[in-house]
């Protein structure tokens, strides 16, 4: 039991000034995904019965390649931000939290890099 007042314990432990930035990034990536998802779904549905050459030529168009790259980056960034919040809120064992945060960061970076390379190869090679 402590004789210190709760205000005295909390003083100097103000916000890290990071929460608002994280919140805004999550909202901006959500808006980007909301705008890009209809394009992605329509493109994917139109290419369902297409052959390999048609898919490559469609993704090789500059507008489609740019939209695909933007979609992929927004998707993985949004996923990283969301998973980070889930881990921070529900994992209370410090070593497990750090391990999961690092794993999520590397997994999202690796997946986004692989996606960017794949789209770039399709756009450049065609």
């Amino acid at each position: 039991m402590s004789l210190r007042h709760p205000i005295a314990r909390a003083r100097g432990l103000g916000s890290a000034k990071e929460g608002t930035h994280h919140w805004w990034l999550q909202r901006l990536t959500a808006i980007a995904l909301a705008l890009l998802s209809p394009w992605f779904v329509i493109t994917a549905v139109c290419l369902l019965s297409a052959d390999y050459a048609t898919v490559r030529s469609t993704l090789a168009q500059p507008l489609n390649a740019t939209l695909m790259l933007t979609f992929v980056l927004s998707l993985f960034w949004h996923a990283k931000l969301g998973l980070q919040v889930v881990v921070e809120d529900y994992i209370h064992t410090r070593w497990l939290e750090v391990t999961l945060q690092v794993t999520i960061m590397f997994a999202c970076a690796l997946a986004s890099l692989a996606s960017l390379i794949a789209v770039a190869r399709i756009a450049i090679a065609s």
Side-chain angles (χ1 to χ4, degrees):
M1 182 169 131
S2 174
L3 297 177
R4 292 181 67 191
H5 192 273
I7 295 292
R9 273 183 287 163
R11 191 164 290 141
L13 300 175
S15 74
K17 308 282 191 269
E18 300 261 337
T20 306
H21 179 69
H22 188 276
W23 185 87
W24 270 110
L25 287 177
Q26 199 167 19
R27 295 319 177 264
L28 290 175
T29 56
I31 291 169
L33 288 172
L35 295 174
L36 290 169
S37 291
W39 166 83
F40 179 76
V41 170
I42 291 168
T43 303
V45 168
C46 290
L47 293 175
L48 276 178
S49 60
D51 61 342
Y52 180 70
T54 304
V55 173
R56 281 189 74 133
S57 66
T58 301
L59 287 178
Q61 295 173 2
L63 178 63
N64 287 335
T66 303
L67 290 175
M68 183 62 79
L69 291 173
T70 306
F71 180 76
V72 166
L73 285 176
S74 297
L75 181 73
F76 285 114
W77 197 2
H78 187 75
K80 182 212 169 275
L81 292 170
L83 289 171
Q84 178 182 347
V85 170
V86 169
V87 169
E88 289 170 353
D89 288 347
Y90 295 107
I91 305 297
H92 302 296
T93 308
R94 185 68 182 150
W95 69 267
L96 184 58
E97 180 182 349
V98 171
T99 303
L100 286 173
Q101 293 288 14
V102 170
T103 303
I104 289 167
M105 190 182 316
F106 280 123
C108 287
L110 182 64
S112 62
L113 184 62
S115 300
L116 293 176
I117 290 171
V119 173
R121 284 189 64 189
I122 290 171
I124 293 170
S126 294

